[in-house]
mmCIF file of all heavy atoms in Angstrom:
data_model
loop_
_atom_site.group_PDB
_atom_site.id
_atom_site.type_symbol
_atom_site.label_atom_id
_atom_site.label_comp_id
_atom_site.label_asym_id
_atom_site.label_seq_id
_atom_site.Cartn_x
_atom_site.Cartn_y
_atom_site.Cartn_z
ATOM 1 N N ALA A 174 96.682 214.669 88.288
ATOM 2 C CA ALA A 174 97.056 216.035 87.886
ATOM 3 C C ALA A 174 98.375 216.444 88.539
ATOM 4 O O ALA A 174 99.245 217.046 87.900
ATOM 5 C CB ALA A 174 95.947 217.017 88.260
ATOM 6 N N ARG A 175 98.539 216.077 89.821
ATOM 7 C CA ARG A 175 99.789 216.429 90.510
ATOM 8 C C ARG A 175 100.988 215.780 89.815
ATOM 9 O O ARG A 175 102.005 216.404 89.549
ATOM 10 C CB ARG A 175 99.726 215.966 91.975
ATOM 11 C CG ARG A 175 100.939 216.337 92.819
ATOM 12 C CD ARG A 175 100.986 215.600 94.153
ATOM 13 N NE ARG A 175 101.255 214.175 93.972
ATOM 14 C CZ ARG A 175 102.481 213.683 93.705
ATOM 15 N NH1 ARG A 175 103.519 214.515 93.534
ATOM 16 N NH2 ARG A 175 102.664 212.375 93.587
ATOM 17 N N LEU A 176 100.857 214.484 89.501
ATOM 18 C CA LEU A 176 101.953 213.759 88.849
ATOM 19 C C LEU A 176 102.208 214.308 87.448
ATOM 20 O O LEU A 176 103.360 214.433 87.021
ATOM 21 C CB LEU A 176 101.612 212.258 88.774
ATOM 22 C CG LEU A 176 102.161 211.382 89.887
ATOM 23 C CD1 LEU A 176 101.595 209.971 89.766
ATOM 24 C CD2 LEU A 176 103.688 211.347 89.855
ATOM 25 N N LEU A 177 101.142 214.666 86.752
ATOM 26 C CA LEU A 177 101.314 215.196 85.394
ATOM 27 C C LEU A 177 102.132 216.486 85.428
ATOM 28 O O LEU A 177 103.086 216.677 84.649
ATOM 29 C CB LEU A 177 99.942 215.434 84.753
ATOM 30 C CG LEU A 177 99.948 215.666 83.241
ATOM 31 C CD1 LEU A 177 98.763 214.947 82.589
ATOM 32 C CD2 LEU A 177 99.897 217.130 82.898
ATOM 33 N N VAL A 178 101.836 217.358 86.382
ATOM 34 C CA VAL A 178 102.606 218.613 86.526
ATOM 35 C C VAL A 178 104.066 218.290 86.847
ATOM 36 O O VAL A 178 104.997 218.840 86.240
ATOM 37 C CB VAL A 178 101.984 219.497 87.633
ATOM 38 C CG1 VAL A 178 102.912 220.654 87.996
ATOM 39 C CG2 VAL A 178 100.619 220.013 87.188
ATOM 40 N N GLU A 179 104.263 217.331 87.748
ATOM 41 C CA GLU A 179 105.631 216.938 88.148
ATOM 42 C C GLU A 179 106.410 216.408 86.957
ATOM 43 O O GLU A 179 107.561 216.789 86.715
ATOM 44 C CB GLU A 179 105.532 215.870 89.240
ATOM 45 C CG GLU A 179 106.856 215.344 89.754
ATOM 46 C CD GLU A 179 106.650 214.196 90.737
ATOM 47 O OE1 GLU A 179 106.123 214.448 91.834
ATOM 48 O OE2 GLU A 179 107.003 213.042 90.389
ATOM 49 N N LYS A 180 105.793 215.550 86.142
ATOM 50 C CA LYS A 180 106.500 214.920 85.008
ATOM 51 C C LYS A 180 106.745 215.911 83.885
ATOM 52 O O LYS A 180 107.746 215.850 83.186
ATOM 53 C CB LYS A 180 105.728 213.689 84.517
ATOM 54 C CG LYS A 180 105.616 212.576 85.565
ATOM 55 C CD LYS A 180 106.957 212.193 86.147
ATOM 56 C CE LYS A 180 106.852 211.279 87.354
ATOM 57 N NZ LYS A 180 108.161 211.041 87.979
ATOM 58 N N GLN A 181 105.809 216.846 83.715
ATOM 59 C CA GLN A 181 106.035 217.909 82.716
ATOM 60 C C GLN A 181 107.262 218.724 83.117
ATOM 61 O O GLN A 181 108.146 219.028 82.319
ATOM 62 C CB GLN A 181 104.809 218.839 82.644
ATOM 63 C CG GLN A 181 103.643 218.259 81.902
ATOM 64 C CD GLN A 181 102.421 219.184 81.882
ATOM 65 O OE1 GLN A 181 101.632 219.110 80.961
ATOM 66 N NE2 GLN A 181 102.253 220.040 82.888
ATOM 67 N N LYS A 182 107.367 219.037 84.402
ATOM 68 C CA LYS A 182 108.510 219.820 84.896
ATOM 69 C C LYS A 182 109.817 219.039 84.717
ATOM 70 O O LYS A 182 110.885 219.626 84.501
ATOM 71 C CB LYS A 182 108.312 220.172 86.373
ATOM 72 C CG LYS A 182 107.320 221.310 86.619
ATOM 73 C CD LYS A 182 107.208 221.658 88.082
ATOM 74 C CE LYS A 182 106.157 222.776 88.294
ATOM 75 N NZ LYS A 182 105.599 222.727 89.673
ATOM 76 N N GLN A 183 109.727 217.697 84.784
ATOM 77 C CA GLN A 183 110.937 216.874 84.637
ATOM 78 C C GLN A 183 111.378 216.779 83.179
ATOM 79 O O GLN A 183 112.434 216.235 82.880
ATOM 80 C CB GLN A 183 110.675 215.468 85.209
ATOM 81 C CG GLN A 183 110.615 215.438 86.736
ATOM 82 C CD GLN A 183 110.255 214.047 87.272
ATOM 83 O OE1 GLN A 183 110.076 213.089 86.503
ATOM 84 N NE2 GLN A 183 110.130 213.932 88.587
ATOM 85 N N GLY A 184 110.526 217.269 82.254
ATOM 86 C CA GLY A 184 110.957 217.292 80.855
ATOM 87 C C GLY A 184 110.292 216.285 79.947
ATOM 88 O O GLY A 184 110.581 216.233 78.744
ATOM 89 N N TYR A 185 109.374 215.463 80.471
ATOM 90 C CA TYR A 185 108.671 214.497 79.603
ATOM 91 C C TYR A 185 107.806 215.262 78.604
ATOM 92 O O TYR A 185 107.093 216.194 78.984
ATOM 93 C CB TYR A 185 107.782 213.571 80.433
ATOM 94 C CG TYR A 185 108.528 212.526 81.228
ATOM 95 C CD1 TYR A 185 108.888 212.758 82.555
ATOM 96 C CD2 TYR A 185 108.878 211.297 80.665
ATOM 97 C CE1 TYR A 185 109.565 211.800 83.300
ATOM 98 C CE2 TYR A 185 109.560 210.336 81.396
ATOM 99 C CZ TYR A 185 109.896 210.590 82.710
ATOM 100 O OH TYR A 185 110.567 209.647 83.447
ATOM 101 N N GLN A 186 107.868 214.834 77.329
ATOM 102 C CA GLN A 186 107.029 215.449 76.288
ATOM 103 C C GLN A 186 105.764 214.622 76.041
ATOM 104 O O GLN A 186 104.853 215.066 75.366
ATOM 105 C CB GLN A 186 107.822 215.520 74.963
ATOM 106 C CG GLN A 186 109.100 216.348 75.061
ATOM 107 C CD GLN A 186 108.822 217.795 75.411
ATOM 108 O OE1 GLN A 186 108.043 218.469 74.732
ATOM 109 N NE2 GLN A 186 109.404 218.293 76.504
ATOM 110 N N LYS A 187 105.804 213.361 76.512
ATOM 111 C CA LYS A 187 104.669 212.447 76.278
ATOM 112 C C LYS A 187 104.316 211.805 77.617
ATOM 113 O O LYS A 187 105.213 211.370 78.348
ATOM 114 C CB LYS A 187 105.083 211.354 75.273
ATOM 115 C CG LYS A 187 105.581 211.886 73.935
ATOM 116 C CD LYS A 187 106.257 210.769 73.134
ATOM 117 C CE LYS A 187 106.998 211.295 71.926
ATOM 118 N NZ LYS A 187 106.196 211.947 70.928
ATOM 119 N N LEU A 188 103.031 211.733 77.931
ATOM 120 C CA LEU A 188 102.599 211.121 79.175
ATOM 121 C C LEU A 188 101.436 210.187 78.903
ATOM 122 O O LEU A 188 100.575 210.474 78.059
ATOM 123 C CB LEU A 188 102.199 212.199 80.190
ATOM 124 C CG LEU A 188 103.380 213.027 80.735
ATOM 125 C CD1 LEU A 188 102.895 214.276 81.443
ATOM 126 C CD2 LEU A 188 104.260 212.177 81.658
ATOM 127 N N GLN A 189 101.444 209.058 79.591
ATOM 128 C CA GLN A 189 100.357 208.091 79.455
ATOM 129 C C GLN A 189 99.551 208.106 80.764
ATOM 130 O O GLN A 189 100.145 208.076 81.843
ATOM 131 C CB GLN A 189 100.901 206.684 79.205
ATOM 132 C CG GLN A 189 99.835 205.641 78.948
ATOM 133 C CD GLN A 189 100.422 204.260 78.757
ATOM 134 O OE1 GLN A 189 100.622 203.526 79.725
ATOM 135 N NE2 GLN A 189 100.712 203.893 77.507
ATOM 136 N N ILE A 190 98.236 208.165 80.636
ATOM 137 C CA ILE A 190 97.368 208.131 81.815
ATOM 138 C C ILE A 190 96.576 206.829 81.793
ATOM 139 O O ILE A 190 95.879 206.531 80.805
ATOM 140 C CB ILE A 190 96.398 209.329 81.826
ATOM 141 C CG1 ILE A 190 97.181 210.651 81.900
ATOM 142 C CG2 ILE A 190 95.416 209.223 83.012
ATOM 143 C CD1 ILE A 190 96.297 211.897 81.757
ATOM 144 N N LYS A 191 96.696 206.048 82.821
ATOM 145 C CA LYS A 191 95.969 204.784 82.887
ATOM 146 C C LYS A 191 94.507 205.047 83.239
ATOM 147 O O LYS A 191 94.193 205.843 84.137
ATOM 148 C CB LYS A 191 96.593 203.862 83.937
ATOM 149 C CG LYS A 191 98.004 203.377 83.610
ATOM 150 C CD LYS A 191 98.027 202.551 82.353
ATOM 151 C CE LYS A 191 99.403 201.959 82.102
ATOM 152 N NZ LYS A 191 99.491 201.235 80.828
ATOM 153 N N VAL A 192 93.618 204.384 82.487
ATOM 154 C CA VAL A 192 92.178 204.457 82.770
ATOM 155 C C VAL A 192 91.614 203.037 82.745
ATOM 156 O O VAL A 192 92.334 202.088 82.414
ATOM 157 C CB VAL A 192 91.443 205.340 81.731
ATOM 158 C CG1 VAL A 192 91.879 206.800 81.845
ATOM 159 C CG2 VAL A 192 91.666 204.814 80.306
ATOM 160 N N GLY A 193 90.323 202.923 83.079
ATOM 161 C CA GLY A 193 89.682 201.605 82.993
ATOM 162 C C GLY A 193 89.634 200.905 84.344
ATOM 163 O O GLY A 193 90.320 201.289 85.286
ATOM 164 N N GLY A 194 88.786 199.902 84.391
ATOM 165 C CA GLY A 194 88.686 199.083 85.602
ATOM 166 C C GLY A 194 87.881 199.726 86.722
ATOM 167 O O GLY A 194 87.944 199.316 87.880
ATOM 168 N N ARG A 195 87.165 200.816 86.400
ATOM 169 C CA ARG A 195 86.333 201.502 87.398
ATOM 170 C C ARG A 195 85.177 202.188 86.678
ATOM 171 O O ARG A 195 85.075 202.115 85.443
ATOM 172 C CB ARG A 195 87.178 202.523 88.165
ATOM 173 C CG ARG A 195 87.822 203.576 87.283
ATOM 174 C CD ARG A 195 88.737 204.496 88.061
ATOM 175 N NE ARG A 195 89.476 205.384 87.154
ATOM 176 C CZ ARG A 195 90.394 206.248 87.551
ATOM 177 N NH1 ARG A 195 90.691 206.360 88.841
ATOM 178 N NH2 ARG A 195 91.050 207.016 86.680
ATOM 179 N N ASP A 196 84.331 202.929 87.420
ATOM 180 C CA ASP A 196 83.215 203.635 86.785
ATOM 181 C C ASP A 196 83.761 204.634 85.750
ATOM 182 O O ASP A 196 84.700 205.386 86.037
ATOM 183 C CB ASP A 196 82.425 204.393 87.877
ATOM 184 C CG ASP A 196 81.152 204.989 87.310
ATOM 185 O OD1 ASP A 196 81.283 205.863 86.416
ATOM 186 O OD2 ASP A 196 80.059 204.557 87.726
ATOM 187 N N LEU A 197 83.185 204.644 84.595
ATOM 188 C CA LEU A 197 83.700 205.503 83.511
ATOM 189 C C LEU A 197 83.713 206.972 83.907
ATOM 190 O O LEU A 197 84.589 207.734 83.495
ATOM 191 C CB LEU A 197 82.873 205.306 82.239
ATOM 192 C CG LEU A 197 83.485 205.928 80.972
ATOM 193 C CD1 LEU A 197 84.729 205.138 80.555
ATOM 194 C CD2 LEU A 197 82.480 205.979 79.834
ATOM 195 N N ALA A 198 82.751 207.362 84.761
ATOM 196 C CA ALA A 198 82.699 208.773 85.193
ATOM 197 C C ALA A 198 83.985 209.162 85.914
ATOM 198 O O ALA A 198 84.467 210.299 85.789
ATOM 199 C CB ALA A 198 81.493 208.977 86.096
ATOM 200 N N GLU A 199 84.580 208.210 86.632
ATOM 201 C CA GLU A 199 85.847 208.511 87.334
ATOM 202 C C GLU A 199 86.971 208.733 86.310
ATOM 203 O O GLU A 199 87.793 209.632 86.473
ATOM 204 C CB GLU A 199 86.223 207.353 88.269
ATOM 205 C CG GLU A 199 85.301 207.187 89.474
ATOM 206 C CD GLU A 199 85.773 206.038 90.371
ATOM 207 O OE1 GLU A 199 86.813 206.195 91.039
ATOM 208 O OE2 GLU A 199 85.100 204.995 90.360
ATOM 209 N N ASP A 200 86.975 207.910 85.268
ATOM 210 C CA ASP A 200 88.001 208.100 84.226
ATOM 211 C C ASP A 200 87.850 209.467 83.564
ATOM 212 O O ASP A 200 88.827 210.199 83.349
ATOM 213 C CB ASP A 200 87.870 207.000 83.160
ATOM 214 C CG ASP A 200 88.419 205.658 83.633
ATOM 215 O OD1 ASP A 200 89.306 205.657 84.522
ATOM 216 O OD2 ASP A 200 87.968 204.622 83.115
ATOM 217 N N ILE A 201 86.617 209.826 83.255
ATOM 218 C CA ILE A 201 86.369 211.112 82.580
ATOM 219 C C ILE A 201 86.791 212.273 83.483
ATOM 220 O O ILE A 201 87.419 213.240 83.029
ATOM 221 C CB ILE A 201 84.893 211.225 82.160
ATOM 222 C CG1 ILE A 201 84.564 210.169 81.076
ATOM 223 C CG2 ILE A 201 84.571 212.648 81.654
ATOM 224 C CD1 ILE A 201 83.092 210.022 80.751
ATOM 225 N N ALA A 202 86.528 212.135 84.773
ATOM 226 C CA ALA A 202 86.935 213.186 85.725
ATOM 227 C C ALA A 202 88.458 213.308 85.769
ATOM 228 O O ALA A 202 89.012 214.420 85.801
ATOM 229 C CB ALA A 202 86.393 212.853 87.109
ATOM 230 N N VAL A 203 89.153 212.171 85.728
ATOM 231 C CA VAL A 203 90.633 212.181 85.732
ATOM 232 C C VAL A 203 91.148 212.889 84.485
ATOM 233 O O VAL A 203 92.027 213.749 84.542
ATOM 234 C CB VAL A 203 91.182 210.733 85.794
ATOM 235 C CG1 VAL A 203 92.637 210.676 85.350
ATOM 236 C CG2 VAL A 203 91.035 210.162 87.202
ATOM 237 N N VAL A 204 90.573 212.542 83.344
ATOM 238 C CA VAL A 204 91.039 213.120 82.078
ATOM 239 C C VAL A 204 90.829 214.633 82.067
ATOM 240 O O VAL A 204 91.727 215.420 81.712
ATOM 241 C CB VAL A 204 90.325 212.447 80.886
ATOM 242 C CG1 VAL A 204 90.720 213.104 79.566
ATOM 243 C CG2 VAL A 204 90.646 210.955 80.851
ATOM 244 N N ARG A 205 89.660 215.071 82.479
ATOM 245 C CA ARG A 205 89.359 216.514 82.448
ATOM 246 C C ARG A 205 90.274 217.282 83.420
ATOM 247 O O ARG A 205 90.791 218.353 83.080
ATOM 248 C CB ARG A 205 87.887 216.747 82.763
ATOM 249 C CG ARG A 205 86.953 216.222 81.665
ATOM 250 C CD ARG A 205 85.800 217.146 81.358
ATOM 251 N NE ARG A 205 85.197 216.802 80.052
ATOM 252 C CZ ARG A 205 85.567 217.391 78.907
ATOM 253 N NH1 ARG A 205 86.505 218.334 78.906
ATOM 254 N NH2 ARG A 205 85.027 217.029 77.758
ATOM 255 N N LYS A 206 90.517 216.681 84.589
ATOM 256 C CA LYS A 206 91.399 217.340 85.574
ATOM 257 C C LYS A 206 92.816 217.435 85.009
ATOM 258 O O LYS A 206 93.490 218.464 85.134
ATOM 259 C CB LYS A 206 91.401 216.536 86.871
ATOM 260 C CG LYS A 206 92.163 217.181 88.006
ATOM 261 C CD LYS A 206 91.372 218.314 88.625
ATOM 262 C CE LYS A 206 92.110 218.907 89.823
ATOM 263 N NZ LYS A 206 91.425 220.099 90.353
ATOM 264 N N ALA A 207 93.250 216.355 84.345
ATOM 265 C CA ALA A 207 94.606 216.331 83.770
ATOM 266 C C ALA A 207 94.762 217.417 82.716
ATOM 267 O O ALA A 207 95.784 218.122 82.658
ATOM 268 C CB ALA A 207 94.889 214.961 83.176
ATOM 269 N N PHE A 208 93.738 217.607 81.901
ATOM 270 C CA PHE A 208 93.839 218.605 80.833
ATOM 271 C C PHE A 208 93.783 220.039 81.368
ATOM 272 O O PHE A 208 94.165 220.978 80.675
ATOM 273 C CB PHE A 208 92.774 218.365 79.766
ATOM 274 C CG PHE A 208 93.238 217.415 78.688
ATOM 275 C CD1 PHE A 208 93.292 216.045 78.920
ATOM 276 C CD2 PHE A 208 93.678 217.896 77.460
ATOM 277 C CE1 PHE A 208 93.756 215.164 77.952
ATOM 278 C CE2 PHE A 208 94.142 217.023 76.467
ATOM 279 C CZ PHE A 208 94.186 215.648 76.716
ATOM 280 N N GLU A 209 93.335 220.192 82.598
ATOM 281 C CA GLU A 209 93.364 221.544 83.204
ATOM 282 C C GLU A 209 94.807 221.979 83.451
ATOM 283 O O GLU A 209 95.112 223.165 83.457
ATOM 284 C CB GLU A 209 92.604 221.538 84.546
ATOM 285 C CG GLU A 209 91.096 221.462 84.425
ATOM 286 C CD GLU A 209 90.429 221.326 85.800
ATOM 287 O OE1 GLU A 209 91.124 221.559 86.823
ATOM 288 O OE2 GLU A 209 89.234 220.976 85.841
#
Side-chain angles (χ1 to χ4, degrees):
R175 183 193 69 77
L176 265 173
L177 194 140
V178 168
E179 179 185 292
K180 297 308 170 186
Q181 284 178 153
K182 283 183 182 155
Q183 287 176 2
Y185 286 94
Q186 300 298 305
K187 303 167 191 297
L188 290 166
Q189 184 182 88
I190 298 174
K191 294 298 185 185
V192 294
R195 59 185 173 183
D196 188 297
L197 192 70
E199 291 182 71
D200 284 334
I201 294 170
V203 161
V204 176
R205 292 221 163 267
K206 186 77 177 174
F208 271 76
E209 287 175 14

